[in-house]
Amino acid sequence: MNDEAVLLTLIDIFGKNAVLFDTESRNKYGIDYTQYYSPDPVAVVFPKNEEQLVSLVQLANKLSLKLVPSGGRTGYSGGAIAAFKEIVVSFEKMNKILSFCEEDRSVRCQPGLITKELQEFAKTKDLFYPVDFASSGSSQIGGNIATNAGGIKVIRYGLTRNWVTGLRVVTGNGEILELNNGLIKNATGYDFLNLFIGSEGTLGFITEATIKLIEEPLPQKVVLFSLNQKNHLLNILNKCRTLRYLSAFELFSDKALQIVLKEQSLTMPFSKSAPFYVLLEFDSTQENETLLFDVLESSLSSQSIGDVIISDSIEKANNLWKFRESISLSLRKYIPYKYDISVVPSRIIQFMSEVDGFLEKENQEIDVIWFGHVGDGNLHLNILKPKTMEKEKFFTYCDKISTSIYELVKKYSGSISAEHGIGLLKKPFLSYSKSDTEIAYMKLIKKLFDENNVMNPLKLV
Ligand SMILES: Cc1cc2nc3c(=O)[nH]c(=O)nc-3n(C[C@H](O)[C@H](O)[C@H](O)COP(=O)(O)OP(=O)(O)OC[C@H]3O[C@@H](n4cnc5c(N)ncnc54)[C@H](O)[C@@H]3O)c2cc1C
C-alpha cells in the first residue's frame, strides 16, 4: 500500500478531522522536549476510543507500519519522537475523567488527561494526587505511566507506579487487556500492570488508568538554604528525615540558580552565593518547627549552611519553589545535554565529586550544572553547549564522554535513568544499567506483546 492509500485507510478508521499530515502538525507532534532529532512522521492520528486503536494496530501489523504513542510530549528521553516515518498516535482527545469512587478513593481516567487536571480534580474531592513536577501542566497521565514519572515528592509518596491500581491497554498484537481492576492487593502471579508501567509505549497503548488518591497533607512549610560545602549534604538530609513528613529534598548548584535568576528575571534570594542550595518541604507543625530549628542551629554553628529562608505563607512557599522548579525550563535555551542518574543517596556526594573530577580533566570549557531530587539519589547533571560549538558536534561529543560518565554510574551500581526513561536517547547506553541477560529477557517480553515490533520501535530495546 502506498502512503496515500495508508492515509485514506487512517481516515477510514479515525475520521477526516482526526488524521493530520500537514508539515506543521507533523513537526509539532513528532517531537518531545529533547532537542536532538528532527521530526519526520507520516501522519498524526487522534483516537477517541479503544476500537480505533485496535484497528490501527491490526493495520500496522498487516502493513509493517510503525506507531509512536504521544502524550504531552514533555519527555526527556526521546520516547515520543517520530523521526523515522512513523505514525504518531496522540491521546489529546482521550483526555477525560471517566468516574470517581469515593469509597475506593480512586479515579478512572483516559490517558490524555493532563497531570495537573488530575491534581485539581483530586482537590475538589478533598483528596490529593501527589505525583508532581514542573511539566505537570502539559504532561499526560498516559505519558507519566509509560515513563513511571517521579518528580519532586518521591521521597514521601513514591513514583507514579505507586498510584496506579488498574490499566486498560491495547497491546502491539492488537489484544485488549484489563490489568488489575483497581485492586490494592492481587497476588495472582506475574504482574502485567507493573510491566506496562514504565514500558515507554513499547508494549502497547495505555487506553485507561485507575489512579488511587490520598488524603490531602497538612499545609506545607518550605525552607531554602545555602549549602557551603556539598560534603555536609548527607548529614543534613539524615537530620531532616526526622521531620514528619519530609515531602521534598532538592539540591541545585549556584550555576543553576544564576541561570534561573537571569532567565526568569528573579532577584537573588540570598545575601551571598554559595556552591549549592537545598530546598526542603514538610508538614507545617509545631513539632516539626522545633526539629527544624535544631537542625538549622547545628548546621549554622558548624558553618555547613549559610542563609536560610523559611516560608510563612503559601505565596512565599510557591516563590521559593520557583528557584528550583524553573531550572529545567531556564536551561532549555542553552541546549543542555541531560543526564538523569540515580545512585543510592549515601553515595551521591562521592559520585558527584568523581564526575566533577572527570569533567574538569576532560574539558574545562563546558558548563556543568547539577540539580536534582537528591533525597531520592536522583541527579540531573546537565552539560551546556559551548556557544562556539555546533549543536550536532556538541551532542556527538557528549555521547562520547557519556561512556565515561556511565562507567562511573556502573561503578556506583547506579542507573542511567532514574525517572525520564531510556527512549531513543539513552538506548545505546542501556547496558551500563542492565546485564546482557536482562536485555535479552526485555527483548523477549517485547516480542510477546508486540510480535511484529510496531510499537515505538527503536526505543528502549
Ligand atoms: C520542565 C520539565 C520538568 C520535568 N520534570 C520531571 C520530573 O521531575 N520527574 C519526571 O519523572 N519527569 C520530569 N519531566 C519529564 C516528563 O515530563 C515526564 O517524563 C512525563 O512523564 C512525560 O509525560 P508526557 O505525557 O509528556 O509523555 P511524552 O513525552 O509524550 O511520552 C513519554 C513516553 O510515554 C509514551 N506514551 C505516552 N502516552 C502513552 C500512552 N497512552 N500509551 C503508551 N505509551 C505512551 C511515549 O511513547 C513515550 O515513550 C520533566 C519535563 C519537563 C519539560
Side-chain angles (χ1 to χ4, degrees), residues 32-33 68-76 79-80 91 111 132-135 138-152 200-201 204-207 324-325 328-329 373 380 419-420 456:
D32 62 6
Y33 231 71
V68 175
S70 169
R73 304 186 308 284
T74 66
Y76 270 138
F91 283 89
D132 195 17
F133 25 74
S135 54
S138 320
S139 78
Q140 299 178 359
I141 293 301
N144 297 165
I145 295 171
T147 53
N148 188 24
I152 51 182
E200 302 186 30
F205 293 109
I206 294 160
T207 58
R324 164 62 187 87
E325 283 278 73
S328 279
L329 292 174
H373 318 293
H380 294 310
E419 56 177 13
H420 293 162
N456 229 358

Side-chain angles (χ1 to χ4, degrees), residues 10-31:
L10 291 177
I11 290 170
D12 260 359
I13 297 174
F14 295 99
K16 196 162 173 274
N17 295 330
V19 181
L20 299 179
F21 45 89
D22 60 289
T23 310
E24 197 185 328
S25 305
R26 291 190 300 114
N27 283 343
K28 177 175 166 192
Y29 288 94
I31 47 164

Side-chain angles (χ1 to χ4, degrees), residues 240-285:
C240 287
R241 279 186 194 278
T242 56
L243 296 164
R244 294 277 174 270
Y245 291 94
L246 185 62
S247 320
F249 192 92
E250 301 279 318
L251 177 82
F252 51 96
S253 67
D254 189 50
K255 278 190 180 168
L257 177 65
Q258 294 312 323
I259 289 180
V260 167
L261 298 181
K262 183 166 171 224
E263 297 306 322
Q264 308 300 323
S265 307
L266 294 172
T267 315
M268 173 70 171
F270 298 111
S271 60
K272 63 176 195 272
S273 349
F276 288 96
Y277 307 95
V278 172
L279 183 149
L280 53 132
E281 186 182 273
F282 51 88
D283 286 354
S284 178
T285 60

